[in-house]
Amino acid sequence: MVRHSQYDVCIAGAGIIGLSIAFRLAEAGKRVLILDRKGMAAEASAGNAGALAFADIEPLASPGIILKAPKWLFDPLGPLSLPLGYLPRILPWLLRFFRASMPDRVAGSTRAQTALMDLARAETESLFEAAGVAGLLRRDGALFLYEGERAWKASLAMWKTRGAHGIEFEHVTGSRLAALQPGLGPTVTHATFVPQWLTVSDPLDVTTCIGKAAIDRGAVFQTAEVTDIEQDEYGVVLMLSDGTAVRSGEAVIASGAWSHRLAATLGDSIPLETERGYNTTLPAGAFDLKRQLVIPEEGFVLTRLDTGVRIGGAVELGGLERAPDFRRSEIMVEKARRIVPGLKTDNGRQWMGFRPSLPDSLPVIGRSPRAHRVIYAFGHGHLGLTQSAATARLVRDLVLGAAPAIDLSPYRPQRFS
């Protein structure tokens, strides 16, 4: 086998995480190869809700979710569902999730999530500007909508936590609410406006443009599936599904919901599960959205994209193999019509994607404990776009041997051992 490689770093995965990392490493002068089994932005990065949700500092694993979980989990069309047939397989992950939701763990997870969000806020505009996609950012803020005073009051503890971490927001009702978003239904009585919330014009465009910017700086892209990884004294060898091998000095695993399978080839057991997210994109003109609308109690959002109005969210813990249940997309559209009665729901395009989720709601970012030339960067759940620039900065720091911008210990791969 060839002992030398023309690549310094090989990145397995061409979603928003992998391509952002590729851009920053190519920018730093590294010889980068990007591998993906389908192509750039061919999985979750193509169909996300387009939000840079820096205000989402609370982990999904939290006491609030534990209170709601018994009602939600076994409702096939609820905000967080679990097919009964998948329960035996996911049970170990659920036990870790419930443990991570205990108060003694949540405070630490929130601090870690906040640190990553603060870094993401600082790095995103820099990355977008350097990659030539700053024009795809939208600065309209977001409205969190509540149907009734009781639902709004139940959210106040969350907003207090966010305010303590420096997140700006404004509680609104009446004419102020109507001005921020005309056409809301009569059930929407209260809202909270987050002015610094960002969205993008289209997540597929953003991801592919960052990938092309990495290639413009010397990165190489190849459509290929990585099936195995080995480390030896000369570097890292990645085995591809066609039987060929690629050698590089280091490797980054950023393969989203499939990443744990590659980690397992190195002997690292990482409890990754899949948040199956659904959406429907309605044609442009379906409704005049002024900014992203977030419906926390129902777990979905409405986003204005260049391609139309996207209604998406919710979580189905169902793994990688089950067929999509597009009733989930349909029920979100029905609920959206209650929020904005003027919504035109004809000719929508349905989609389902796989979000990589770890039981403590934090990603894995760091070197493999068994193969120090392999760096993990996955498990961001529904926050991949939001945290992509921060993750790219941290992986660049690791590759360049620089001090990480934040403490990496909360995200270390071996925390599940």
Side-chain angles (χ1 to χ4, degrees):
M1 185 174 288
V2 178
R3 295 181 179 181
H4 303 288
S5 169
Q6 66 188 100
Y7 303 111
D8 298 314
V9 184
C10 180
I11 300 170
I16 188 62
I17 299 292
L19 293 176
S20 296
I21 292 168
F23 175 81
R24 284 305 196 193
L25 291 178
E27 182 186 51
K30 293 295 181 182
R31 298 168 299 170
V32 177
L33 173 65
I34 311 159
L35 299 172
D36 193 280
R37 66 194 184 103
K38 286 190 175 181
M40 289 189 186
E43 297 286 356
S45 295
N48 68 63
L52 293 156
F54 305 131
D56 275 1
I57 60 173
E58 306 85 4
L60 181 62
S62 64
I65 290 294
I66 293 301
L67 292 174
K68 297 173 181 177
K71 175 183 175 182
W72 281 356
L73 276 177
F74 301 109
D75 176 359
L77 302 180
L80 174 64
S81 72
L82 170 62
L84 280 174
Y86 196 66
L87 180 58
R89 184 169 175 179
I90 200 177
L91 187 57
W93 187 93
L94 283 177
L95 293 175
R96 290 179 181 269
F97 179 85
F98 289 135
R99 182 68 187 94
S101 302
M102 296 297 102
D104 63 320
R105 299 285 183 91
V106 171
S109 297
T110 301
R111 285 194 297 271
Q113 195 76 288
T114 301
L116 196 56
M117 291 298 199
D118 287 346
L119 181 62
R121 185 185 293 111
E123 290 288 323
T124 293
E125 297 207 40
S126 169
L127 187 148
F128 275 48
E129 187 70 36
V133 296
L136 303 183
L137 276 175
R138 290 178 172 166
R139 306 171 190 277
D140 304 318
L143 268 178
F144 286 67
L145 304 179
Y146 302 98
E147 297 180 275
E149 185 175 16
R150 181 177 179 180
W152 172 71
K153 285 185 174 179
S155 76
L156 293 181
M158 175 193 71
W159 290 111
K160 182 178 180 180
T161 299
R162 292 180 175 185
H165 287 283
I167 295 166
E168 297 180 17
F169 58 86
E170 175 192 358
H171 297 309
V172 297
T173 58
S175 60
R176 172 62 171 154
L177 172 55
L180 288 167
Q181 180 56 67
L184 294 172
T187 63
V188 179
T189 59
H190 295 69
T192 301
F193 177 48
V194 185
Q196 294 179 335
W197 190 280
L198 302 178
T199 56
V200 297
S201 58
D202 187 87
L204 176 60
D205 286 348
V206 167
T207 306
T208 54
C209 286
I210 290 174
K212 291 174 183 176
I215 291 171
D216 289 343
R217 284 156 181 78
V220 175
F221 175 78
Q222 180 181 343
T223 301
E225 182 178 5
V226 180
T227 58
D228 196 6
I229 303 176
E230 298 176 0
Q231 176 177 294
D232 60 25
E233 59 185 305
Y234 305 107
V236 178
V237 178
L238 295 94
M239 301 301 299
L240 307 183
S241 59
D242 64 1
T244 62
V246 174
R247 177 178 287 282
S248 65
E250 295 182 281
V252 177
I253 307 305
S255 302
W258 292 265
S259 298
H260 62 307
R261 295 179 177 179
L262 291 177
T265 68
L266 293 167
D268 290 329
S269 179
I270 299 178
L272 188 76
E273 260 300 336
T274 306
E275 296 180 28
R276 295 151 57 95
Y278 291 82
N279 71 44
T280 300
T281 303
L282 302 171
F287 188 79
D288 185 17
L289 281 182
K290 301 301 183 184
R291 50 191 43 84
Q292 188 172 66
L293 305 181
V294 183
I295 298 82
E297 288 299 299
E298 300 287 358
F300 72 93
V301 302
L302 290 84
T303 311
R304 175 175 59 91
L305 302 177
D306 283 353
T307 51
V309 174
R310 181 163 292 168
I311 302 167
V315 173
E316 180 186 52
L317 298 171
L320 294 167
E321 312 301 334
R322 296 177 64 88
D325 181 357
F326 284 114
R327 292 180 302 164
R328 298 180 62 76
S329 296
E330 293 162 5
I331 198 68
M332 281 189 285
V333 171
E334 290 178 18
K335 292 176 178 178
R337 289 192 68 179
R338 187 180 72 237
I339 301 298
V340 284
L343 182 69
K344 300 174 184 176
T345 60
D346 297 331
N347 302 314
R349 291 180 287 108
Q350 295 177 328
W351 177 90
M352 189 273 285
F354 302 104
R355 308 165 181 150
S357 183
L358 290 160
D360 59 0
S361 305
L362 299 175
V364 164
I365 305 172
R367 293 188 179 275
S368 162
R370 286 181 166 80
H372 70 279
R373 294 179 184 269
V374 177
I375 297 170
Y376 295 143
F378 59 83
H380 298 76
H382 55 281
L383 295 170
L385 175 62
T386 299
Q387 298 177 341
S388 57
T391 304
R393 165 64 188 276
L394 293 170
V395 173
R396 184 186 67 179
D397 290 344
L398 288 170
V399 170
L400 298 182
I406 59 175
D407 177 19
L408 286 179
S409 60
Y411 323 103
R412 65 194 185 282
Q414 58 268 45
R415 71 184 188 268
F416 299 108
S417 301

